[in-house]
């Protein structure tokens, strides 16, 4: 472990972000964020690792770009916004980031509060009692950086929480004076990977086996998904399970979960007709006021948060709720289906495929 030479907090934040695999900060400037611009310019001039600042005309566009960045790379991204108004300008894109499970850190400026630094009337008007409170219902974590904090630990922690399943946005307020202050010496290698990001597996194998048994025994099994395609590696498993075992699939367009012309694909719910319903990575698989599974149907739910604990009221029933990574679960399910499929199960699958 190597101690860093004293550096401005802004520089340490950008260097740590780069170590955490943040490539870009989608940046909408403000006077209290100039320390970040200066830090990036110095790092580029000296060939040092830093996250790149990409200038954006508006925070809504910046957050939308950051979501695309995180989606394509499957790594965290960041925005930087100007004080309270810039934070508000993220607008509905913040709802999209939260509901879409995008690991994006919103870095928000905060006006100077030291009397000698308050050189404009607007610095008084930009203050809010609790800047994190503006976004707290739509982020997984928030913090206002203080001069006594280790910015390496704070940045790594923000991105660790953001990347932990279910992924989602986080918010860090950066006061003007703190960004320009010398950061305490610390570990150059600090990153969210150093803290450790919990990884979900394929699920409890007894429960996976039960899911396989229910699908094989069903006359009309149905799988519903919204975001299996968050990980493109999951799509072939879903394709093969549907094709080999005659499982109908209803998939939204949140991602490319299954090609539109797949013979197993159903457009619309059709959940009332199924006798075995498997929900994989879908927060709202049906709307009870419009359609719901039969009371006699078996219902299983697989998700990184299968109880959807961040939704205050959630009345959709299930016989089994399994916490798992969708890709690893589908791989485990495919293996369990192949192990359990006897001649009778294969014949039922053939009949389902024919129908």
């Amino acid at each position: 472990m190597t101690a860093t030479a004293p550096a401005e907090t802004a520089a340490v934040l950008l260097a740590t972000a780069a170590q955490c695999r943040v490539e870009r900060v989608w940046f909408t400037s403000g006077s209290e964020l100039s320390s970040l611009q200066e830090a990036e310019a110095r790092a580029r001039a000296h060939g040092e690792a830093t996250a790149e600042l990409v200038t954006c005309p508006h925070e809504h566009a910046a957050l939308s770009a950051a979501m695309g960045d995180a989606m394509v790379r499957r790594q965290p991204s960041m925005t930087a916004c100007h004080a309270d108004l810039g934070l508000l300008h993220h607008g509905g894109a913040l709802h999209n980031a939260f509901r879409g499970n995008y690991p994006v850190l919103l870095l928000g400026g905060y006006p100077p509060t030291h009397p000698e630094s308050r050189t404009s009337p607007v610095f008084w008007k930009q203050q809010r009692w609790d800047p994190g409170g503006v976004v707290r219902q739509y982020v997984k974590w928030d913090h206002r950086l203080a001069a006594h904090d280790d910015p390496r630990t704070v940045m790594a922690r923000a991105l660790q929480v953001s990347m932990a399943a279910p992924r989602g946005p986080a918010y860090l307020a950066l006061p003007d004076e703190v960004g320009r202050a010398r950061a305490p010496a610390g570990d150059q290698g600090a990153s969210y990977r150093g803290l450790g990001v919990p990884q979900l597996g394929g699920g409890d194998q007894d429960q996976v086996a039960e899911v396989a048994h229910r699908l094989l025994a069903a006359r009309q099994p149905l799988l519903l998904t919204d975001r299996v395609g968050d990980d493109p590696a999951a799509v072939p498993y879903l394709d093969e399970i549907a094709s080999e075992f005659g499982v109908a699939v209803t998939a939204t367009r949140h991602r490319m979960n299954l090609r539109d012309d797949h013979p197993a694909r159903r457009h619309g719910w059709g959940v009332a007709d199924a006798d075995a319903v498997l929900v994989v990575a879908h927060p709202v698989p049906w709307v009870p006021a419009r359609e719901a599974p039969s009371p006699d149907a078996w219902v299983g739910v697989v998700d990184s948060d299968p109880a959807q604990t961040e939704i205050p009221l959630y009345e959709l029933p299930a016989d089994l709720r399994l916490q798992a990574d969708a890709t690893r679960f589908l791989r485990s399910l495919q293996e369990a289906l192949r192990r359990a499929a006897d001649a009778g199960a294969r014949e039922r699958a053939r009949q389902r495929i024919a129908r």
Side-chain angles (χ1 to χ4, degrees), residues 14-23 73 75-76 152 155-157 159-160 163 190-193:
L14 291 178
T16 306
Q19 290 163 356
C20 294
R21 300 195 178 181
V22 174
E23 290 185 355
R73 294 192 307 111
Q75 296 293 341
R152 303 164 189 83
M155 176 61 73
R157 173 60 173 167
L159 294 172
Q160 177 199 36
M163 287 291 288
S191 72
Y192 74 82
R193 291 179 176 274

Side-chain angles (χ1 to χ4, degrees), residues 131-170:
V134 176
V135 296
R136 191 161 293 139
Q137 292 192 80
Y138 294 91
V139 297
K140 295 180 65 181
W141 178 98
D142 71 270
H143 183 71
R144 178 162 23 175
L145 195 67
H148 60 264
D149 286 333
D150 179 352
R152 303 164 189 83
T153 299
V154 173
M155 176 61 73
R157 173 60 173 167
L159 294 172
Q160 177 199 36
V161 174
S162 188
M163 287 291 288
R167 295 177 175 181

Side-chain angles (χ1 to χ4, degrees), residues 17 42-43 56 63 65 70 94 107 122 125 214-215 217 232 275 336 351:
R42 283 195 304 270
C56 293
L63 182 50
L94 181 56
L107 184 64
V122 75
K125 299 174 184 177
R214 296 286 183 174
L215 294 180
D275 54 348
Q351 294 173 3

Side-chain angles (χ1 to χ4, degrees), residues 82-353:
H82 173 47
D84 59 331
L85 183 59
L87 185 60
L88 293 169
H89 274 173
H90 283 113
L94 181 56
H95 177 277
N96 295 342
F98 183 61
R99 290 298 177 205
N101 301 123
Y102 293 98
V104 176
L105 176 61
L106 283 60
L107 184 64
Y110 193 82
T113 55
H114 191 280
E116 293 182 2
S117 302
R118 285 149 79 97
T119 56
S120 170
V122 75
F123 293 152
W124 281 266
K125 299 174 184 177
Q126 290 169 342
Q127 293 179 83
R128 289 293 78 212
W129 301 105
D130 178 14
V134 176
V135 296
R136 191 161 293 139
Q137 292 192 80
Y138 294 91
V139 297
K140 295 180 65 181
W141 178 98
D142 71 270
H143 183 71
R144 178 162 23 175
L145 195 67
H148 60 264
D149 286 333
D150 179 352
R152 303 164 189 83
T153 299
V154 173
M155 176 61 73
R157 173 60 173 167
L159 294 172
Q160 177 199 36
V161 174
S162 188
M163 287 291 288
R167 295 177 175 181
Y171 169 70
L172 176 62
L174 177 64
D176 180 79
E177 297 99 331
V178 176
R180 301 183 184 283
R182 293 293 175 181
D187 178 13
Q188 286 183 325
S191 72
Y192 74 82
R193 291 179 176 274
L195 294 180
V197 178
Q199 300 294 316
L200 293 176
D204 177 81
Q205 290 305 296
D206 289 341
Q207 291 184 304
V208 174
E210 180 181 356
V211 174
H213 167 73
R214 296 286 183 174
L215 294 180
L216 291 173
R219 180 181 181 278
Q220 194 157 318
L222 175 66
L223 188 151
L224 301 103
T225 186
D226 182 50
R227 49 195 66 189
V228 157
D230 278 354
D231 180 5
V235 176
Y237 292 118
L238 179 57
D239 183 318
E240 292 166 10
I241 288 170
S243 300
E244 185 175 351
F245 297 101
V247 178
V249 177
T250 296
T252 71
R253 294 182 179 272
H254 177 82
R255 288 286 182 271
M256 205 299 288
N257 300 291
L258 190 68
R259 68 181 194 270
D260 283 354
D261 63 350
H262 194 288
R265 180 156 185 159
R266 298 184 62 172
H267 297 275
W269 279 310
V271 69
D273 300 325
D275 54 348
V277 178
L278 177 61
V279 179
V280 183
H282 198 329
V284 188
W286 63 83
V287 176
R290 295 176 59 184
E291 187 177 18
S294 163
D296 298 326
W298 177 88
V299 178
V301 175
V302 181
D303 202 295
S304 59
D305 179 12
Q308 302 298 324
T309 55
E310 48 75 31
I311 299 176
L313 296 176
Y314 195 79
E315 65 273 31
L316 279 67
D319 298 289
L320 177 149
R321 292 192 185 273
L322 174 59
Q323 187 175 29
D325 172 78
T327 304
R328 295 177 180 179
F329 165 75
L330 289 173
R331 183 174 61 209
S332 295
L333 176 61
Q334 184 183 58
E335 294 169 355
L337 286 165
R338 288 173 174 172
R339 284 195 303 268
D342 57 17
R346 290 287 182 180
E347 175 59 22
R348 286 190 294 276
R350 189 196 63 76
Q351 294 173 3
R352 290 193 295 264
I353 292 168

